[in-house]
Amino acid sequence: MSSQQNSLIHFSNIARSQIEKLFSVAFQFSQSMTLPSRQGQTAALLFFEPSTRTRMSFETACARLGIYPLLMDGVSGTSLEKGETIEDTILNISAMKPSAFIIRAGDDLDFDLIKAKIQQPIINAGWGKRGHPTQALLDIYTISQQKRDLQNLKLLIVGDVRHSRVAASHFELAKIIGYEIALCGPAEFLPENTDYLQFQNLSEGLSWANAIMCLRVQLERHEVKYSLQSYRSEFGLNQERLKELTDDHLILHPGPINQGVEMDFETIHSPNSLIFQQVENGVYVRQALLDLILRGEWR
Ligand code: CP
């Protein structure tokens, strides 16, 4: 097996059994602080776009595995400022022989092309609007930890689906795991050509779902700015809307949250909310993925 196959860029050619194994290793890491030591190994964490949760959870995962994280956080202070390309940057760092690359970048970087040019495994840590596979994995791992049957999961994705790499990864992962997805939001936020069930009324969507994932309104990616006030009143999961939920409804958000827009403080901290469990589980899932990749047992 070549190390180039031993990566996670998107979910094509990933089997359900691999994901079950990943979740099992993630659960073991959540239960034990007895850690494999990979002293002397490094991982290159290259974040060309901003991040808090993903970057710090990969740094934590590296620390717990005994791997030293080599962090490039943005462009400032690097030779990208002098005009070096991202591709050349990665090829140069590859020559320093890190054990793996963990990369967040915009749509214009071709992850598959980079993967073909370097020996090391690559983990996609957020790729423009194309995908964020470790986020989708940690979301589903978090739901599975609530003892939910994933075959009966009905996930309502609310909000800015058109610009969401998290939604893009859920569309792929749902086909592997077998959960149902429906979309809810203003027409401008929903994909134009999709077979997914769509709701433009939040109450109808909530009646259909047993889990709700609210997405951040990504104003920085919009040409025409949508009124946040209208969004809040029609699609915000606020204290009033919580009354429409039952104990069965799980609430998720990948973060960062526009608090007071897609959800408010009371929703974030409500008993139905799994938002901080998502962040905690992000470390275990990323730790498990790195461990399986470095053991050569991911693919
Ligand atoms: N969910 C997520 O990717 O958050 P960050 O942008 O903070 O990493």
Side-chain angles (χ1 to χ4, degrees):
M1 179 198 313
S2 106
S3 64
Q4 291 186 37
Q5 290 171 321
N6 204 9
S7 292
L8 178 61
I9 294 178
H10 29 62
F11 287 113
S12 50
N13 302 320
I14 302 271
R16 191 190 159 102
S17 57
Q18 270 175 269
I19 292 169
E20 286 167 353
K21 183 168 160 188
L22 176 80
F23 285 0
S24 161
V25 176
F27 182 72
Q28 286 165 28
F29 281 133
S30 77
Q31 299 299 300
S32 164
M33 283 286 156
T34 312
L35 304 168
S37 176
R38 297 188 169 275
Q39 251 179 350
Q41 286 189 277
T42 58
L45 274 66
L46 311 184
F47 280 72
F48 302 110
E49 289 194 339
S51 169
T52 298
R53 279 148 291 273
T54 312
R55 177 171 63 75
M56 296 201 70
S57 63
F58 269 117
E59 282 185 272
T60 307
C62 284
R64 291 187 184 167
L65 292 170
I67 298 168
Y68 189 85
L70 301 171
L71 179 63
M72 185 177 275
D73 189 11
V75 171
S76 175
T78 74
S79 289
L80 289 156
E81 285 192 313
K82 298 182 232 168
E84 188 168 35
T85 64
I86 289 183
E87 184 178 326
D88 280 346
T89 302
I90 294 171
L91 293 180
N92 276 272
I93 294 169
S94 172
M96 299 174 201
K97 309 285 184 220
S99 297
F101 278 87
I102 295 155
I103 302 175
R104 171 168 289 194
D107 286 307
D108 45 355
L109 184 71
D110 188 337
F111 274 62
D112 292 296
L113 187 72
I114 297 284
K115 188 174 115 173
K117 290 188 177 180
I118 64 174
Q119 290 302 311
Q120 293 92 347
I122 296 182
I123 299 175
N124 169 358
W127 181 11
K129 299 190 289 292
R130 297 185 193 215
H132 193 356
T134 61
Q135 179 69 47
L137 286 169
L138 76 88
D139 296 337
I140 296 304
Y141 176 77
T142 301
I143 292 171
S144 74
Q145 291 304 297
Q146 299 298 305
K147 307 292 173 225
R148 296 299 175 100
D149 177 2
L150 295 178
Q151 308 302 309
N152 293 326
L153 174 63
K154 297 175 91 169
L155 179 65
L156 182 71
I157 304 183
V158 182
D160 198 355
V161 178
R162 206 181 279 192
H163 298 101
S164 173
R165 55 187 168 220
V166 178
S169 285
H170 273 290
F171 297 151
E172 294 177 10
L173 185 58
K175 291 192 183 114
I176 301 170
I177 305 266
Y179 54 94
E180 272 190 85
I181 290 179
L183 310 177
C184 180
E188 303 92 303
F189 284 12
L190 300 184
E192 274 164 357
N193 299 311
T194 174
D195 294 333
Y196 289 102
L197 185 59
Q198 298 195 13
F199 298 97
Q200 286 184 9
N201 175 296
L202 182 57
S203 296
E204 288 173 15
L206 297 179
S207 306
W208 173 87
N210 52 25
I212 305 130
M213 170 169 296
C214 300
L215 298 175
R216 183 174 70 88
V217 178
Q218 299 191 43
L219 285 178
E220 74 278 15
R221 298 193 202 263
H222 293 191
E223 279 166 26
V224 179
K225 307 288 180 210
Y226 194 84
S227 155
L228 293 183
Q229 211 172 357
S230 308
Y231 186 85
R232 182 185 198 285
S233 63
E234 285 184 60
F235 299 103
L237 203 53
N238 53 36
Q239 218 171 353
E240 271 306 297
R241 293 283 193 184
L242 285 183
K243 293 177 190 157
E244 297 178 33
L245 303 186
T246 67
D247 290 346
D248 246 19
H249 282 99
L250 304 174
I251 298 173
L252 299 99
H253 194 306
I257 298 172
N258 290 311
Q259 203 175 123
V261 180
E262 58 262 9
M263 58 173 59
D264 58 15
F265 180 90
E266 286 74 17
T267 308
I268 296 166
H269 296 278
S270 71
N272 301 56
S273 167
L274 299 177
I275 290 168
F276 292 99
Q277 282 101 311
Q278 285 174 272
V279 177
E280 178 179 349
N281 289 331
V283 174
Y284 308 135
V285 167
R286 289 170 174 139
Q287 197 179 343
L289 179 63
L290 261 174
D291 189 52
L292 286 170
I293 284 177
L294 295 179
R295 281 197 265 146
E297 292 179 19
W298 168 237
R299 299 188 113 180

